[in-house]
Amino acid sequence: LKRLAAGVILPGILLLSACGSAQNESATTDGIQERTIKAGIGNSKMHPQGQGMVKFKELLEEKSGGKMKVQNFFDATLGDDQKMTEALQGGLQEVTVPSTSPLVGMIKEFGIYDFPFVFNNEEEAYSVLDGAIGKKLLDKLPEHDLVGLGYWENGFRNLTNSKHPVVTADDFKGLKIRTMQNEVHLDAFSKLGANPSPMAFSEVFTALETGTVDGQENPLATIQTQKYNEVQDYLSLTKHVYTPFVFLVSKKFWDDLSEEEQKIMSEAAQEAGEYQRALNRKENEKALKYLEEEGMKINEVKPEEMAKMKEVIQPVTDKFAQKFGPDLVEEMMTEVEKVRGN
Ligand code: KDG
């Protein structure tokens, strides 16, 4: 703890210090009590996010000597991201791990993670998420009755559709694309000439199957586990946005925990997150091979075409940079440049 006080903080430990600050303010009891934690996500158990929840359950039950039990609920059985987040705020559910994108209506600054083509790789994303910028945004959660214990990985998003390959910026024109309920995504796809339709994650497969929308965009592991290949012909490797998951805990529940319980819950979330990120990257590689074998027509997108897409969307990024805080956006871009070595 002296190292933390001295500010000699490695990224991973920084998040513990974030939780540490939450620990100092709110712990009320000692020791570890018998507790049951309802944890819900939108993805399936086989998705890396689901496997991360299984790992979290194992770790927390081990660290608490079996006293803190986790009940995992997959496939949005407890509701979609926004409904589960509201359940945490009301103290009706203890944990959920949504994308940050649907939280932008509550904390607008999470929207900086939705800017297209900001990160070239996962390491650049981790340097922002696990550093001072990521902590700054997690620190905004307690005022909304939520506690953030770190970021897991949804990953780089790619476009699928049932009409034609998307190879150039012009190819988005006229496509009805499902987006997350997020103003940056809506504006960005509109700017590219698409016809965006925001909807909850659990509604996407049916919307694709019925033709309500032509396409959607998600990381490869999600495309596989949601079986979008059964209702989509084309996969274009746009890698247009890197989406994080955020590990959320109900503050009503968190404030009732002892310092010891808060510490082991933070550690379990952190260690499960490291496991989940590594698994996600491995599963994304495997998903690409699977989707090709399942007959999806897959195309790469040339860097120069990605640059053109980024240029077309730039007015959207500029507009939201003003809304989310130009200094925060500048801080993120500076961090990315530092990691990139420019
Ligand atoms: O609970 C899972 C969702 O948060 C996540 O998969 C959201 O990427 C997402 C989407 O497209 O809604």
Side-chain angles (χ1 to χ4, degrees):
L1 276 180
K2 283 197 183 67
R3 278 163 50 80
L4 297 185
V8 180
I9 290 172
L10 299 175
I13 296 174
L14 180 70
L15 292 175
L16 281 177
S17 79
C19 312
S21 57
Q23 281 170 342
N24 298 336
E25 286 154 21
S26 61
T28 56
T29 57
D30 297 325
I32 300 175
Q33 297 179 39
E34 296 283 342
R35 296 186 187 274
T36 299
I37 291 160
K38 283 194 302 297
I41 62 168
N43 276 299
S44 67
K45 183 174 183 178
M46 286 321 295
H47 187 281
Q49 186 191 29
Q51 291 300 297
M53 296 310 291
V54 170
K55 176 63 75 174
F56 171 71
K57 171 184 171 69
E58 282 169 13
L59 288 167
L60 186 60
E61 289 178 359
E62 179 194 323
K63 289 174 185 281
S64 68
K67 287 188 176 179
M68 296 175 82
K69 290 187 173 37
V70 178
Q71 291 176 337
N72 278 323
F73 297 85
F74 306 101
D75 300 308
T77 47
L78 296 184
D80 62 44
D81 291 332
Q82 286 177 339
K83 183 168 182 296
M84 289 193 280
T85 301
E86 287 161 10
L88 264 62
Q89 291 171 304
L92 303 173
Q93 179 180 330
E94 288 70 44
V95 165
T96 190
V97 189
S99 289
T100 51
S101 308
L103 302 178
V104 175
M106 172 174 61
I107 300 174
K108 65 179 189 299
E109 291 82 357
F110 272 129
I112 66 172
Y113 299 144
D114 293 298
F115 288 165
F117 302 111
V118 166
F119 303 121
N120 286 344
N121 55 54
E122 288 86 354
E123 279 68 29
E124 291 178 4
Y126 301 161
S127 72
V128 169
L129 294 168
D130 299 343
I133 297 167
K135 178 180 177 303
K136 204 176 278 183
L137 299 191
L138 293 180
D139 286 349
K140 291 178 180 294
L141 287 163
E143 67 193 80
H144 297 276
D145 297 317
L146 298 166
V147 172
L149 297 188
Y151 297 94
W152 289 14
E153 181 163 284
N154 194 352
F156 282 101
R157 308 179 76 88
N158 298 289
L159 182 80
T160 66
N161 83 89
S162 58
K163 298 293 184 191
H164 54 70
V166 169
V167 180
T168 70
D170 285 344
D171 292 338
F172 286 93
K173 285 188 170 60
L175 285 177
K176 290 183 290 182
I177 297 175
R178 175 270 175 177
T179 70
M180 292 188 282
Q181 294 142 314
N182 174 287
E183 56 187 342
V184 180
H185 285 243
L186 275 169
D187 278 20
F189 280 105
S190 294
K191 200 74 179 173
L192 286 165
N195 179 4
S197 178
M199 71 179 73
F201 181 63
S202 52
E203 297 163 21
V204 175
F205 185 90
T206 303
L208 295 170
E209 189 178 37
T210 57
T212 306
V213 292
D214 302 323
Q216 66 81 46
E217 41 83 58
N218 250 292
L220 297 172
T222 303
I223 296 168
Q224 176 180 0
T225 52
Q226 291 296 308
K227 303 184 183 346
Y228 294 154
N229 58 289
E230 292 178 1
V231 289
Q232 298 274 266
D233 300 320
Y234 302 98
L235 166 60
S236 303
L237 301 176
T238 49
K239 294 186 68 178
H240 51 279
V241 166
Y242 174 94
T243 304
F245 287 133
V246 58
F247 193 103
L248 296 179
V249 181
S250 165
K251 191 173 183 299
K252 288 181 168 58
F253 171 75
W254 180 261
D255 288 350
D256 188 47
L257 299 181
S258 67
E259 280 207 20
E260 189 180 358
E261 289 170 321
Q262 288 179 350
K263 181 174 179 293
I264 62 173
M265 195 160 175
S266 305
E267 288 171 354
Q270 179 84 22
E271 291 167 29
E274 285 156 12
Y275 165 83
Q276 189 272 338
R277 280 178 172 176
L279 179 66
N280 199 56
R281 294 174 70 167
K282 197 166 72 185
E283 290 304 307
N284 270 334
E285 287 303 313
K286 286 163 64 177
L288 183 58
K289 191 167 178 297
Y290 169 83
L291 294 168
E292 192 166 24
E293 287 166 358
E294 287 298 299
M296 288 201 90
K297 300 175 185 67
I298 300 174
N299 71 278
E300 300 271 353
V301 177
K302 291 189 180 124
E304 54 267 34
E305 285 304 329
M306 286 184 183
K308 266 190 212 150
M309 292 172 192
K310 183 172 182 177
E311 191 185 331
V312 169
I313 297 168
Q314 195 58 47
V316 174
T317 305
D318 294 343
K319 166 184 144 186
F320 284 105
Q322 290 308 311
K323 179 172 181 179
F324 300 153
D327 293 347
L328 179 66
V329 174
E330 179 59 32
E331 192 182 345
M332 175 172 73
M333 300 306 187
T334 302
E335 176 61 27
V336 169
E337 292 304 313
K338 193 170 75 177
V339 174
R340 201 173 284 170
N342 291 357

